[in-house]
Each structure stands twice: as C-alpha cells, then as structure tokens.
Amino acid sequence: MRILFLLLMMIFFVPFLSEAQENNRYNFAQTYLGYSAQFIPSTGTISYQANDGVSAQKIALPSVLQNRIEIGGLHFWGRADFYVSFPVLTVHFNQDDSLKSYLGTGVATGARYHFTKLEPERFSPFAGLNWSVLSYRQKAENQAGPEINKHRLMLEAGLSYTTKAFSIASIYAQYTPNHNLQYASSRNIFSDLNFPAFSFAFSYKKAFDFSANLSQPEVKKYNEKLTQYLAKNNKISGITIGVGPSSAFNLQANNYNVENRKFLAESSPIVMLPDVGIGYYLHKHDAEIRFSYRPIKQVQKAYDFEQTALRNSVVAEAFKFIGDYHGFVPFIGGFAGVEFLSLKEKDKLHNSTDNFNQTKSSYGIITGWDIRLNDAQPFLLRTNIRYTPNLFLTANNSKFDFSHLEINFIQFVLYPQRIKAIKKFNKFIK
C-alpha cells in the first residue's frame, strides 16, 4: 500500500501535463513554507488492566492540538500539492490522572488535487491522500510503555483561499479508515486501542516562485547561450553533491520482536536521518552514478527494556531519468553496497545486556524525481525513495529486520563544476 501511494504521487497528475499553451516549465512549480494546526478530538479510547490485574477499564484518550511546519511544492500549474508536514509542538488536553496518554499523527507526506487552479483571490476545493503515522504511548504508575507507530493512509478534503500575494489559507478534515490498534500495556498484556478516526486542520503557507523570471525573453536567451556554452565545454556533465533530511522505517512488524519481544512488535519506530551523496551526472545518457551514506538508528524503550538498532549504509547507486514533464523529471535505478549492522539490548529487570554486530551486503531499488528547469542549473531539488529488501542481522537464533523503506523528500543537489563554468561564462560575455 505504501509503495502504491508513492507511485500514485508520481503518476496521478501526469494527465494534467497537457494544460494550455501558456503553461510552461517555468511556472510549473512553486515552493512553499507554512504552518498548520491539527486538532484530534477526544473520541478515541484505550482499554487496560486495572490494578487488580483482572478487571479491564476503558478510558477516553485526550484531545490533541498538533502544531506543525509544512514544506511542499505546488506543481502542475496550481493543480497539485505535494508536501511534508512535521509536528513541532503537541499539546494534550483532558489527561486522565491514572493513565497519561500521548498520541499524534507524526510526520505526514501528502498529495492533494485542487479542482480549480490555485490563483490569487480565489477559493479552490481539494481532495487528497495523507500518509501519516498514528503514534501512541502511555505511562501509568511510573511504568512507561512503548511508542507504537502505525502507517496509515488518511483521506483529506477541504477548501483553500489564495491571497493576492499568493499566500494560501486552508481548512480541511482528515479521515483514517483503519484506526483500531493493539497496545502492549505491559510486557505480557495487550489492550485495545481505538485511535480517533477524524481530525481537523487549518494551514497557512506562503508560496515562492524562484523561477518567475526564467520565462522572460532576455533571461531565456541568456540561459540558451549558457546551456550551449556548457554543452560545448562538456560542463553539463559533472560531479554532484547532495544532502537532505530523510526518514526510514520498516514496512511490517519486525520478526525478531514478534518472536522475542512481543511488547515491542507493534512499535515500528520511524527515524529522521541525514542522506548524503556524491556522484557524477552523465548528460549524454541523462543518468547518474552516486555513492550515498545514511546512518539509521532506531531506539525502542518500554517497561525497563531498551533496544537500539543501528545501520550504517554505504551504497553505490545508478539511476536513469525517464522523461521530462515540464520540469518534473522522474528517475529509476538500483543500488548495491555494504551495511554495518548492530543490535544492543538492555534489560534492567534482569540486569542483562546483549550486543550483536554483523557486516552484510545489500541491494535494492531507488526511484524519485528532480525539479529541473533547465540543463544549466547549478543546483536543484530532488526526491529519493529507496527500498532495501532482505537485510537481516542474526540474533538469538532470530532475524532482526533492517529492510527499510526510506523517503528523502527534499534533497539539495549541487553541481560545483557548473558554478565554476558559469562564472567563467559571465566574464566571457561582458
């Protein structure tokens, strides 16, 4: 389901690439930064064992206000909205004194379609999909439970208004179809968790069109001459340096925890990490080869037990760009490399510590897209999506799963040789 969602994000809006002739690659996309507030009402419940260890109690979950930072882009000339939303401050209301509950929807990745174009001083209804992570943890009698993270697709519908200065205000509702979960209320007891099905949100964001002047005749003429100069001197090809934030997670419950640590089996922690790469772009083939490094550290804590899994990944990648849709340039390829894996577990109840280490080879697929306005750009923004299958560390006669899906939604890619060549060109034309 998750991979299908990512593919839909890439291809859903392709039919709208045949917009009217006045649309071009220079007004194809706009970047925005904004704030959103998500309200999760107190409609969820948790069932847990009472102090006698026999009877069960059901209490309401607190209502929640999540303050979030939203980064994204308007594509396909105001029709599409791709975004990432990060919670920065979460406020809980109506907490139960006997059981402190903490819930949220984590980092969200979404795609929206606006039924009318986003244009100044106009309303535009929209619908979309939001890939969120239902997150929950609790603390009772000084015993902290695990934090569970469950990937869910949320449906969205709302209304946006665009100001004359192209700021966008939106109100919308979100619905999560599958919101009934299981939670480990102790190392051996599991409780029914009914996560709230509906949430409501408001957002305000400012769009920036960094390519607004590129369609002007004198600028277009300059870029055409610059591109010819770079091509003649073989400077479109060259070294690339990429850096950006990424996230990594397992697509299913870790088999090791299912067999050995059932109270952690539903946790599926999500981590943020740096994604760093250095490569070489081959203009003639419209392809790139690259070395990438990502440190992925997942930590789970519950009931005086701590589990730390670390993956240091070094891979060689090769990918081919497969078309140019008015500046939206998708690519697909593969990678292979070496993985330095470790697993450390501390059990305070039994005063024990275990360490496991292993070096493994890996392989996988990589896909994503560039926002490429022309071939002379000294930098661009890239989205990387990787999947590493069949990557395990053997511990306690079980396999600990490191098969991650990684999403680096915004990576800054620099072409240093182009920068040097552009400076030389500018001196030449003076």
Side-chain angles (χ1 to χ4, degrees):
M1 179 180 291
R2 289 89 177 178
I3 295 176
L4 176 61
F5 172 71
L6 293 168
L7 292 175
L8 285 174
M9 288 178 61
M10 293 180 64
I11 67 175
F12 181 76
F13 296 97
V14 170
F16 302 100
L17 289 170
S18 58
E19 289 278 349
Q21 289 298 319
E22 67 268 15
N23 294 323
N24 58 62
R25 66 193 301 111
Y26 302 119
N27 59 22
F28 171 83
Q30 292 175 287
T31 302
Y32 67 75
L33 176 66
Y35 162 82
S36 64
Q38 179 189 31
F39 178 71
I40 304 174
S42 181
T43 56
T45 59
I46 178 72
S47 300
Y48 72 103
Q49 296 297 122
N51 293 332
D52 58 17
V54 179
S55 60
Q57 294 185 2
K58 179 182 288 189
I59 64 171
L61 298 179
S63 55
V64 174
L65 178 66
Q66 282 197 323
N67 298 280
R68 311 173 74 92
I69 297 296
E70 201 163 298
I71 303 172
L74 304 175
H75 299 277
F76 301 91
W77 308 283
R79 291 282 192 179
D81 178 353
F82 298 119
Y83 69 92
V84 180
S85 177
F86 304 91
V88 291
L89 177 64
T90 302
V91 182
H92 292 78
F93 304 96
N94 307 318
Q95 283 275 18
D96 190 285
D97 292 334
S98 63
L99 185 72
K100 298 294 184 181
S101 302
Y102 307 88
L103 68 155
T105 52
V107 178
T109 303
R112 297 168 180 147
Y113 172 67
H114 295 270
F115 295 99
T116 58
K117 290 183 181 181
L118 289 171
E119 293 183 345
E121 300 182 298
R122 191 166 81 169
F123 287 95
S124 177
F126 65 85
L129 291 175
N130 175 328
W131 178 4
S132 292
V133 183
L134 305 188
S135 176
Y136 177 84
R137 61 186 173 91
Q138 67 183 37
K139 184 177 182 180
E141 298 181 353
N142 297 320
Q143 282 291 314
E147 178 177 326
I148 64 171
N149 295 285
K150 287 298 181 181
H151 305 273
R152 292 292 185 267
L153 289 182
M154 302 175 69
L155 306 178
E156 292 186 344
L159 182 68
S160 294
Y161 177 76
T162 306
T163 69
K164 189 175 182 179
F166 224 90
S167 294
I168 304 165
S170 304
I171 55 173
Y172 50 98
Q174 300 167 316
Y175 172 67
T176 308
N178 183 11
H179 55 273
N180 294 317
L181 311 173
Q182 284 284 301
Y183 185 80
S185 52
S186 74
R187 289 197 182 189
N188 302 307
I189 298 174
F190 293 84
S191 304
D192 292 326
L193 171 63
N194 183 15
F195 203 92
F198 287 94
S199 61
F200 306 91
F202 163 82
S203 70
Y204 183 83
K205 52 207 178 190
K206 174 62 178 176
F208 304 91
D209 190 350
F210 297 107
S211 61
N213 68 329
L214 295 181
S215 60
Q216 297 177 6
E218 62 274 16
V219 178
K220 289 179 67 176
K221 186 176 180 180
Y222 167 84
N223 282 324
E224 288 173 0
K225 289 183 177 180
L226 174 59
T227 302
Q228 292 172 2
Y229 173 82
L230 295 179
K232 182 179 179 180
N233 291 275
N234 195 29
K235 295 300 182 181
I236 297 181
S237 297
I239 294 172
T240 65
I241 301 173
V243 62
S246 185
S247 61
F249 39 86
N250 300 93
L251 291 179
Q252 58 187 11
N254 199 310
N255 188 63
Y256 175 89
N257 286 334
V258 172
E259 295 179 356
N260 301 280
R261 317 284 182 227
K262 289 186 178 181
F263 60 97
L264 296 179
E266 299 297 323
S267 297
S268 186
I270 298 171
V271 296
M272 300 299 295
L273 60 130
D275 185 346
V276 181
I278 182 168
Y280 193 89
Y281 174 68
L282 303 164
H283 178 244
K284 180 179 179 180
H285 304 285
D286 202 12
E288 187 169 329
I289 55 176
R290 180 177 64 182
F291 289 95
S292 292
Y293 169 71
R294 289 105 55 227
I296 303 173
K297 184 178 182 180
Q298 295 175 302
V299 179
Q300 300 182 80
K301 298 179 181 180
Y303 308 120
D304 294 318
F305 189 91
E306 181 176 336
Q307 182 184 83
T308 303
L310 178 61
R311 170 190 172 194
N312 283 295
S313 177
V314 182
V315 299
E317 302 170 313
F319 48 90
K320 176 76 171 65
F321 294 94
I322 49 175
D324 185 340
Y325 302 96
H326 295 272
F328 181 83
V329 188
F331 64 84
I332 190 168
F335 64 83
V338 60
E339 310 282 345
F340 303 93
L341 310 176
S342 68
L343 175 66
K344 183 177 182 179
E345 296 185 316
K346 291 182 179 180
D347 190 340
K348 292 182 180 179
L349 289 182
H350 300 93
N351 195 28
S352 63
T353 301
D354 290 317
N355 286 282
F356 306 93
N357 297 277
Q358 200 169 357
T359 301
K360 301 286 288 289
S361 60
S362 66
Y363 64 92
I365 60 173
I366 181 169
T367 186
W369 59 86
D370 285 2
I371 300 301
R372 184 197 301 174
L373 301 179
N374 58 59
D375 288 337
Q377 281 181 257
F379 64 88
L380 54 76
L381 297 181
R382 174 175 294 168
T383 294
N384 298 290
I385 303 168
R386 297 182 184 88
Y387 177 60
T388 308
N390 302 318
L391 182 60
F392 303 97
L393 177 149
T394 302
N396 292 325
N397 297 318
S398 298
K399 292 182 177 180
F400 191 94
D401 190 4
F402 284 90
S403 303
H404 295 128
L405 178 65
E406 303 170 58
I407 301 178
N408 177 354
F409 205 80
I410 300 177
Q411 184 183 49
F412 181 82
V413 180
L414 183 69
Y415 296 80
Q417 291 169 297
R418 291 186 191 177
I419 295 176
K420 184 177 180 180
I422 291 171
K423 290 181 179 179
K424 187 175 181 180
F425 173 77
N426 289 335
K427 290 181 180 180
F428 174 76
I429 63 174
K430 285 184 178 180

